[in-house]
Amino acid sequence: NSTLVSLAAQFGHATGKGDALRTALDTPDPLLYGNTTEPHERGSILVAAVFDGFFANYQHRIRDLIRIASDGRGVLPVGDLHPDLVDRLAREAAGAAQEVLTMCIRAFEYLPPVDVTFGDYLRALITADYDLLADDGVEQRRAMIEAFRRRGIFPEGAISLSESSLLWPAAAVSKFIPAQALAERLVSGARTVHGTSRGATEPAGEEAIYRRLRSWAKQSASELGLDPGDRIHVHGFHATYRINSSGQLVVEVVAQFLQKRDTSKDQRFGGIPFRGGATVVASADGRVRFVITKPMSDARIERQIDFVSRLDLNDPWLPWAGEPYMRSRARRDFRSLHRGIVA
């Protein structure tokens, strides 16, 4: 197992570390996530959580093989394993890895379009997997939830870490996505699946689709968590084609809507515009199934202002800064954050 959980071994040796670049299974610290701000260190927490979930699921999958190979004791004998057993263990590892990879990629369809948190990603993982596999993915989802819990990642808005609490709530949008826009996108998506370039669609047709979607979002703004007073931008609209556990084709469409409010005249925002938006997951007939939103709410405004205020605490230039600096200070610091300049 030690080889399996060590990542980028050759790269780690080449950089002089003498070991793997990162060992995915470490001792989980539930306080680390809340106390870590450096982007790469925070990213490693997410990587470790996902790998923990994969490894727990893999161990569940090979329990029967270990029991058979150990005469029911659960402890493998000393010495080399039988080649057939090694082959089966390797196949199970590859299968578990592919399932988790697919789960992680599919989750991107169920994320809000702005201000994504690790907690949002956990909810997207669980919802996307349950939506397609339901009872067939129980162990995989359970392992992932436990892995995130051990890393101190708790989603906002979920009352517990039970699977039912983590699922995004079903949408309550009365209007269906416009039929013509839906049909054109499904046809366009089918062409792409069959090897025809998406660019074959006329630009004018694309503009018409997005125009209809903007109009629909304007009419449904309150149900989508959008502000009808701000311009709504269609960030993306595409079809998805998946196979469920019964072998049936599941066709859906995903649309993302964005809003941006100009905050350049308000020094409290420090040059960072305020953004909101919603991801809409709909069935092939246009019925909206999920609305994953970051609303243009006062509570989110206050959180963004609080974030800028915390950046100010680490800004040595602030006491001597003039008005132009104050209007753009957070934007500069936000760029610097990734370079590790801001503590």
PDB file of all heavy atoms in Angstrom, residues 29-45:
ATOM      1  N   ASP A  29      -5.705  16.288  10.137  1.00  0.00           N
ATOM      2  CA  ASP A  29      -5.828  17.298  11.182  1.00  0.00           C
ATOM      3  C   ASP A  29      -7.082  18.112  10.884  1.00  0.00           C
ATOM      4  O   ASP A  29      -7.092  18.911   9.945  1.00  0.00           O
ATOM      5  CB  ASP A  29      -4.592  18.201  11.200  1.00  0.00           C
ATOM      6  CG  ASP A  29      -4.668  19.290  12.265  1.00  0.00           C
ATOM      7  OD1 ASP A  29      -5.688  19.341  12.988  1.00  0.00           O
ATOM      8  OD2 ASP A  29      -3.716  20.092  12.370  1.00  0.00           O
ATOM      9  N   PRO A  30      -8.156  17.950  11.653  1.00  0.00           N
ATOM     10  CA  PRO A  30      -9.407  18.659  11.353  1.00  0.00           C
ATOM     11  C   PRO A  30      -9.323  20.176  11.507  1.00  0.00           C
ATOM     12  O   PRO A  30     -10.204  20.893  11.034  1.00  0.00           O
ATOM     13  CB  PRO A  30     -10.399  18.060  12.360  1.00  0.00           C
ATOM     14  CG  PRO A  30      -9.564  17.502  13.453  1.00  0.00           C
ATOM     15  CD  PRO A  30      -8.282  17.065  12.811  1.00  0.00           C
ATOM     16  N   LEU A  31      -8.249  20.664  12.147  1.00  0.00           N
ATOM     17  CA  LEU A  31      -8.095  22.113  12.325  1.00  0.00           C
ATOM     18  C   LEU A  31      -7.269  22.759  11.227  1.00  0.00           C
ATOM     19  O   LEU A  31      -7.245  23.985  11.100  1.00  0.00           O
ATOM     20  CB  LEU A  31      -7.450  22.403  13.681  1.00  0.00           C
ATOM     21  CG  LEU A  31      -8.195  21.897  14.920  1.00  0.00           C
ATOM     22  CD1 LEU A  31      -7.418  22.247  16.178  1.00  0.00           C
ATOM     23  CD2 LEU A  31      -9.599  22.500  14.981  1.00  0.00           C
ATOM     24  N   LEU A  32      -6.584  21.941  10.431  1.00  0.00           N
ATOM     25  CA  LEU A  32      -5.654  22.480   9.439  1.00  0.00           C
ATOM     26  C   LEU A  32      -6.372  23.308   8.379  1.00  0.00           C
ATOM     27  O   LEU A  32      -5.897  24.373   7.972  1.00  0.00           O
ATOM     28  CB  LEU A  32      -4.882  21.333   8.779  1.00  0.00           C
ATOM     29  CG  LEU A  32      -3.781  21.721   7.799  1.00  0.00           C
ATOM     30  CD1 LEU A  32      -2.696  22.524   8.504  1.00  0.00           C
ATOM     31  CD2 LEU A  32      -3.183  20.481   7.137  1.00  0.00           C
ATOM     32  N   TYR A  33      -7.519  22.837   7.906  1.00  0.00           N
ATOM     33  CA  TYR A  33      -8.246  23.529   6.841  1.00  0.00           C
ATOM     34  C   TYR A  33      -8.629  24.952   7.254  1.00  0.00           C
ATOM     35  O   TYR A  33      -8.504  25.891   6.469  1.00  0.00           O
ATOM     36  CB  TYR A  33      -9.485  22.722   6.470  1.00  0.00           C
ATOM     37  CG  TYR A  33     -10.386  23.385   5.450  1.00  0.00           C
ATOM     38  CD1 TYR A  33      -9.920  23.734   4.199  1.00  0.00           C
ATOM     39  CD2 TYR A  33     -11.722  23.638   5.753  1.00  0.00           C
ATOM     40  CE1 TYR A  33     -10.743  24.339   3.264  1.00  0.00           C
ATOM     41  CE2 TYR A  33     -12.561  24.237   4.821  1.00  0.00           C
ATOM     42  CZ  TYR A  33     -12.064  24.588   3.588  1.00  0.00           C
ATOM     43  OH  TYR A  33     -12.893  25.184   2.677  1.00  0.00           O
ATOM     44  N   GLY A  34      -9.073  25.103   8.496  1.00  0.00           N
ATOM     45  CA  GLY A  34      -9.484  26.426   8.956  1.00  0.00           C
ATOM     46  C   GLY A  34      -8.337  27.368   9.234  1.00  0.00           C
ATOM     47  O   GLY A  34      -8.540  28.585   9.320  1.00  0.00           O
ATOM     48  N   ASN A  35      -7.127  26.825   9.374  1.00  0.00           N
ATOM     49  CA  ASN A  35      -5.974  27.658   9.723  1.00  0.00           C
ATOM     50  C   ASN A  35      -4.974  27.822   8.585  1.00  0.00           C
ATOM     51  O   ASN A  35      -3.908  28.396   8.793  1.00  0.00           O
ATOM     52  CB  ASN A  35      -5.245  27.060  10.933  1.00  0.00           C
ATOM     53  CG  ASN A  35      -6.115  27.019  12.172  1.00  0.00           C
ATOM     54  OD1 ASN A  35      -6.915  27.922  12.396  1.00  0.00           O
ATOM     55  ND2 ASN A  35      -5.988  25.972  12.976  1.00  0.00           N
ATOM     56  N   THR A  36      -5.299  27.316   7.404  1.00  0.00           N
ATOM     57  CA  THR A  36      -4.373  27.357   6.275  1.00  0.00           C
ATOM     58  C   THR A  36      -4.891  28.306   5.208  1.00  0.00           C
ATOM     59  O   THR A  36      -6.058  28.217   4.806  1.00  0.00           O
ATOM     60  CB  THR A  36      -4.197  25.953   5.660  1.00  0.00           C
ATOM     61  OG1 THR A  36      -3.729  25.061   6.674  1.00  0.00           O
ATOM     62  CG2 THR A  36      -3.211  25.976   4.513  1.00  0.00           C
ATOM     63  N   THR A  37      -4.036  29.230   4.759  1.00  0.00           N
ATOM     64  CA  THR A  37      -4.446  30.180   3.722  1.00  0.00           C
ATOM     65  C   THR A  37      -3.619  30.063   2.446  1.00  0.00           C
ATOM     66  O   THR A  37      -4.074  30.505   1.392  1.00  0.00           O
ATOM     67  CB  THR A  37      -4.331  31.632   4.246  1.00  0.00           C
ATOM     68  OG1 THR A  37      -2.983  31.875   4.671  1.00  0.00           O
ATOM     69  CG2 THR A  37      -5.287  31.874   5.401  1.00  0.00           C
ATOM     70  N   GLU A  38      -2.425  29.471   2.514  1.00  0.00           N
ATOM     71  CA  GLU A  38      -1.591  29.362   1.317  1.00  0.00           C
ATOM     72  C   GLU A  38      -2.280  28.421   0.320  1.00  0.00           C
ATOM     73  O   GLU A  38      -2.682  27.309   0.673  1.00  0.00           O
ATOM     74  CB  GLU A  38      -0.218  28.816   1.696  1.00  0.00           C
ATOM     75  CG  GLU A  38       0.872  29.122   0.671  1.00  0.00           C
ATOM     76  CD  GLU A  38       0.822  28.173  -0.523  1.00  0.00           C
ATOM     77  OE1 GLU A  38       0.509  26.986  -0.320  1.00  0.00           O
ATOM     78  OE2 GLU A  38       1.099  28.614  -1.648  1.00  0.00           O
ATOM     79  N   PRO A  39      -2.472  28.867  -0.944  1.00  0.00           N
ATOM     80  CA  PRO A  39      -3.292  28.111  -1.897  1.00  0.00           C
ATOM     81  C   PRO A  39      -2.850  26.673  -2.118  1.00  0.00           C
ATOM     82  O   PRO A  39      -3.680  25.769  -2.182  1.00  0.00           O
ATOM     83  CB  PRO A  39      -3.170  28.940  -3.186  1.00  0.00           C
ATOM     84  CG  PRO A  39      -2.854  30.320  -2.729  1.00  0.00           C
ATOM     85  CD  PRO A  39      -2.018  30.159  -1.507  1.00  0.00           C
ATOM     86  N   HIS A  40      -1.521  26.432  -2.263  1.00  0.00           N
ATOM     87  CA  HIS A  40      -1.064  25.070  -2.526  1.00  0.00           C
ATOM     88  C   HIS A  40      -1.276  24.160  -1.321  1.00  0.00           C
ATOM     89  O   HIS A  40      -1.623  22.983  -1.477  1.00  0.00           O
ATOM     90  CB  HIS A  40       0.409  25.087  -2.937  1.00  0.00           C
ATOM     91  CG  HIS A  40       0.678  25.876  -4.178  1.00  0.00           C
ATOM     92  ND1 HIS A  40       0.958  27.214  -4.138  1.00  0.00           N
ATOM     93  CD2 HIS A  40       0.663  25.519  -5.485  1.00  0.00           C
ATOM     94  CE1 HIS A  40       1.145  27.656  -5.377  1.00  0.00           C
ATOM     95  NE2 HIS A  40       0.960  26.650  -6.214  1.00  0.00           N
ATOM     96  N   GLU A  41      -1.097  24.708  -0.125  1.00  0.00           N
ATOM     97  CA  GLU A  41      -1.329  23.910   1.080  1.00  0.00           C
ATOM     98  C   GLU A  41      -2.815  23.575   1.223  1.00  0.00           C
ATOM     99  O   GLU A  41      -3.176  22.461   1.621  1.00  0.00           O
ATOM    100  CB  GLU A  41      -0.825  24.665   2.308  1.00  0.00           C
ATOM    101  CG  GLU A  41       0.691  24.816   2.347  1.00  0.00           C
ATOM    102  CD  GLU A  41       1.154  25.617   3.549  1.00  0.00           C
ATOM    103  OE1 GLU A  41       0.280  26.005   4.360  1.00  0.00           O
ATOM    104  OE2 GLU A  41       2.365  25.857   3.673  1.00  0.00           O
ATOM    105  N   ARG A  42      -3.673  24.533   0.900  1.00  0.00           N
ATOM    106  CA  ARG A  42      -5.110  24.256   0.951  1.00  0.00           C
ATOM    107  C   ARG A  42      -5.480  23.221  -0.111  1.00  0.00           C
ATOM    108  O   ARG A  42      -6.302  22.334   0.135  1.00  0.00           O
ATOM    109  CB  ARG A  42      -5.911  25.542   0.728  1.00  0.00           C
ATOM    110  CG  ARG A  42      -5.896  26.473   1.911  1.00  0.00           C
ATOM    111  CD  ARG A  42      -6.669  27.750   1.645  1.00  0.00           C
ATOM    112  NE  ARG A  42      -8.096  27.506   1.544  1.00  0.00           N
ATOM    113  CZ  ARG A  42      -8.932  27.513   2.572  1.00  0.00           C
ATOM    114  NH1 ARG A  42      -8.476  27.707   3.800  1.00  0.00           N
ATOM    115  NH2 ARG A  42     -10.221  27.320   2.397  1.00  0.00           N
ATOM    116  N   GLY A  43      -4.867  23.323  -1.288  1.00  0.00           N
ATOM    117  CA  GLY A  43      -5.134  22.351  -2.336  1.00  0.00           C
ATOM    118  C   GLY A  43      -4.725  20.952  -1.925  1.00  0.00           C
ATOM    119  O   GLY A  43      -5.403  19.967  -2.257  1.00  0.00           O
ATOM    120  N   SER A  44      -3.627  20.843  -1.180  1.00  0.00           N
ATOM    121  CA  SER A  44      -3.174  19.520  -0.742  1.00  0.00           C
ATOM    122  C   SER A  44      -4.161  18.902   0.233  1.00  0.00           C
ATOM    123  O   SER A  44      -4.267  17.668   0.314  1.00  0.00           O
ATOM    124  CB  SER A  44      -1.782  19.623  -0.112  1.00  0.00           C
ATOM    125  OG  SER A  44      -1.830  20.310   1.125  1.00  0.00           O
ATOM    126  N   ILE A  45      -4.893  19.726   0.986  1.00  0.00           N
ATOM    127  CA  ILE A  45      -5.916  19.192   1.892  1.00  0.00           C
ATOM    128  C   ILE A  45      -7.035  18.543   1.085  1.00  0.00           C
ATOM    129  O   ILE A  45      -7.517  17.449   1.429  1.00  0.00           O
ATOM    130  CB  ILE A  45      -6.478  20.320   2.790  1.00  0.00           C
ATOM    131  CG1 ILE A  45      -5.374  20.865   3.707  1.00  0.00           C
ATOM    132  CG2 ILE A  45      -7.655  19.824   3.617  1.00  0.00           C
ATOM    133  CD1 ILE A  45      -5.784  22.095   4.500  1.00  0.00           C
TER     134      ILE A  45
END
